[in-house]
């Protein structure tokens, strides 16, 4: 009996930890392609870009964790092939590992842009500690920064670059920022909030090419409208792609990720997948979902460990997210969708408010700015399936935290 886990991120380590915590005593091996101890990712685009910060790895678990839990960590090694009939994983170091259960926690990679100049010096992406260290070293000398993409990463970086007194231009081909993740009212509020921070936010405008200076470094970005923006530092943040090559080559079903069932099993019952690379049936929204969040990685890992140990219950944890963009802490409980009926609670002018998203007669998601109490209450209420209608939320004196207290008292 043995479990092999491919990947060195949070979900991989949490699976191993949860297996041990639930009494699994057989061999566990983690195959991580980055050398060194696996580290936390969220600070990379947030805390580590601040002017006074020192980017250094924050280990997900201490070095003693692996020996104490009897978990074999193979760092700096990649899985290159899965032999499903013989249940063997071939490794980049020439060795192979046998498995009883295989877990694919292969994560995602940055989506690349293919345009003239995209490989110039000074054009960066943000995914690893090395990326952040390069950006942190470059920011103090940068004057004109161009960010391609107004998603979470792009706007977190834009706010950090403003803290370094850079002139920042954000190019976003969509009509509003963070459109894939946020309701229209919250998205529009953040557009103005970033402009108030001094960011030049250019919507409905993508990237056409980058121009080079005499030394081969980036000098300017030319947008899809033909506008030219000076740039001595560029960050490309246009989303990610799930790492599915290993699964595809092994003949597993994939579609915007590795397709799994409600127990996080792939089309091969001895192989599981989770986290950023997994496409799963989501009870909180129609159809299937692939999520990129700490919550999803952690909760799916705990559930997957139970599935390996024989628990057949479906994965049903409520998705939640957060993003820190300058002085604004955005927290989301649930998943909003186009067409949701929205209601604003609080005064957006104070930068402390929430947007409630109703789908039919149900509260489906809550997006909050600088209101952690609303966020925590929303997680409890939506997670418990509490019925809250728009009419009720519009009543004088309605507050999410008060309703959550009522529910808690009734339990």
């Amino acid at each position: 009996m043995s479990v092999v886990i491919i990947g060195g991120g949070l979900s991989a380590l949490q699976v191993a930890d949860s297996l041990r915590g639930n009494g699994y005593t057989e061999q566990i091996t983690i195959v991580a392609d980055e050398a060194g101890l696996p580290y936390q990712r969220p600070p990379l685009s947030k805390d580590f870009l601040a002017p006074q910060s020192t980017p250094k790895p924050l280990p997900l678990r201490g070095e003693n964790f692996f020996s104490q839990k009897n978990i074999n960590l193979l760092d700096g090694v990649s899985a290159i092939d899965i032999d499903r009939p013989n249940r063997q994983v071939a490794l980049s170091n020439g060795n192979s590992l046998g498995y009883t259960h295989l877990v694919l926690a292969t994560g995602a990679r940055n989506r690349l842009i293919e345009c003239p100049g995209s490989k110039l010096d000074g054009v960066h992406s943000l995914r690893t500690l090395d990326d952040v260290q390069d950006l942190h070293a470059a920011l103090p000398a940068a004057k004109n920064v161009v960010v391609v993409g107004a998603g979470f990463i792009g706007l977190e970086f834009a706010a950090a670059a403003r803290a370094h007194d850079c002139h920042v231009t954000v190019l976003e081909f969509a009509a509003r920022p963070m459109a894939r993740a946020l309701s229209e009212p919250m998205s529009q509020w953040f557009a103005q909030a970033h402009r108030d921070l001094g960011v030049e936010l250019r919507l409905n405008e993508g990237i056409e090419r980058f121009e080079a200076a005499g030394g081969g470094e980036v000098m300017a970005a030319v947008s899809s409208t033909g506008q030219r923006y000076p740039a001595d530092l560029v960050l490309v943040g246009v989303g990610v792609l799930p790492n599915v090559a290993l699964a595809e080559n092994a003949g597993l079903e994939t579609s915007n990720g590795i397709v799994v069932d409600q127990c996080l099993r792939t089309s091969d019952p001895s192989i599981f997948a989770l986290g950023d690379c997994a496409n799963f049936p989501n009870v909180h929204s129609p159809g299937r979902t692939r999520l990129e969040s700490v919550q999803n990685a952690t909760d799916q890992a705990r559930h997957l460990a139970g599935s390996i140990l024989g628990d057949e219950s479906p994965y049903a944890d409520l998705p939640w997210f957060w993003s820190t963009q300058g002085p604004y802490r955005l927290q989301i409980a649930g998943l909003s969708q186009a067409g949701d009926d929205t209601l604003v609670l609080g005064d957006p002018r104070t930068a402390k408010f929430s947007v409630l998203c109703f789908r039919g007669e149900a509260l489906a998601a809550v997006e909050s700015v600088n209101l952690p109490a609303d966020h925590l209450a929303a997680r409890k209420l939506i997670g418990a399936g509490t019925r809250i209608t728009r009419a009720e939320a519009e009543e004088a004196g309605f507050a999410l935290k008060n309703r959550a207290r009522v529910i808690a008292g009734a339990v």
Side-chain angles (χ1 to χ4, degrees), residues 206-247:
I207 184 68
E208 179 68 26
R209 67 181 186 274
F210 299 105
E211 295 180 350
E217 68 277 9
V218 69
M219 179 178 66
V222 179
S223 77
S224 55
T225 67
Q227 184 70 32
R228 184 178 183 276
Y229 301 97
D232 44 39
L233 189 154
V234 172
L235 177 78
V236 176
V238 292
V240 301
L241 296 171
N243 291 322
V244 300
L246 193 65

Side-chain angles (χ1 to χ4, degrees), residues 7-11 13 32-45 48 55-62 66 73 126-133 294:
L10 173 60
S11 60
L13 268 67
D33 55 5
E34 280 194 70
L37 292 177
Y39 55 86
Q40 298 178 34
R41 302 281 178 168
L44 300 184
S45 60
F48 285 178
K56 59 182 179 180
L58 297 176
L60 287 163
R61 302 289 193 278
F66 299 96
L73 172 65
L126 202 170
R127 189 73 184 172
T128 68
L129 181 64
D130 287 344
D131 294 336
V132 174
Q133 289 173 336
V294 170

Side-chain angles (χ1 to χ4, degrees), residues 277-297:
C277 70
N279 185 331
F280 66 98
N282 189 346
V283 301
H284 299 284
S285 66
R288 289 182 158 270
T289 306
R290 187 180 61 81
L291 296 177
E292 302 149 18
S293 75
V294 170
Q295 169 274 325
N296 186 63

